[in-house]
Amino acid sequence: MKSIREIFRNNPSLLEEPEVIQLVDYCSELQDEIVELKFQKTDNKELAMLDMIKEVIKGCNSIEKEQMEHERFGYEAPNYQETISNLKNYIYSRCRDEKIWL
C-alpha cells in the first residue's frame, strides 16, 4: 500500500485541501478496520503484528529512498537516516528474538 506522502509527492499542496484531509482521515480509519478484521478473522495476534511490521519496514524503505533522491539531486531534506536505521534495527532484533521471519 502506498503512503500518503508517496501519493501526493508531486503536489503536496493538495494535502491542505479539506476534501483531501477528509479522505486521508477516512483511509486511516479503514486501515485500522482492516487490521482489526484480520485479527478477528484469524484470532492470531502474530499475523496482525507481521502485517504492521511489514508496513513499517516498507515505509522506512520509502523514506530512505526519498532521502537518497534528495541527496542525489541536491535538495535540502531532513535527515531521517539515523531514526530509520534505529527503528529498523529494533524491529529486526525483536523479530529475531520472537522468531518471526519477515
Side-chain angles (χ1 to χ4, degrees):
M1 179 185 298
K2 286 187 176 183
S3 71
I4 303 293
R5 184 181 299 219
E6 284 179 295
I7 294 170
F8 291 100
R9 180 175 57 197
N10 293 333
N11 200 346
S13 63
L14 288 176
L15 286 170
E16 298 170 9
E17 295 292 326
E19 292 85 2
V20 174
I21 293 171
Q22 274 185 311
L23 184 61
V24 168
D25 291 341
Y26 180 68
C27 288
S28 296
E29 289 175 23
L30 287 178
Q31 286 175 342
D32 292 341
E33 288 179 23
I34 289 171
V35 170
E36 184 64 29
L37 180 62
K38 284 182 181 180
F39 174 70
Q40 288 174 355
K41 193 174 186 179
T42 62
D43 199 25
N44 186 343
K45 289 182 183 180
E46 184 176 321
L47 290 178
M49 187 175 84
L50 280 172
D51 275 350
M52 287 184 273
I53 291 173
K54 285 178 183 179
E55 286 299 317
V56 169
I57 295 293
K58 187 176 168 184
C60 290
N61 289 336
S62 173
I63 292 174
E64 283 179 332
K65 181 180 175 186
E66 188 176 321
Q67 177 81 23
M68 286 189 296
E69 288 175 358
H70 279 286
E71 290 171 1
R72 178 179 174 201
F73 295 111
Y75 300 129
E76 187 173 330
N79 185 2
Y80 297 115
Q81 192 65 35
E82 186 176 346
T83 304
I84 293 169
S85 295
N86 290 338
L87 180 59
K88 283 174 61 175
N89 289 337
Y90 170 76
I91 291 170
Y92 285 134
S93 69
R94 283 298 308 262
C95 287
R96 192 173 41 253
D97 293 343
E98 301 293 332
K99 296 182 178 154
I100 298 172
W101 311 113
L102 302 178

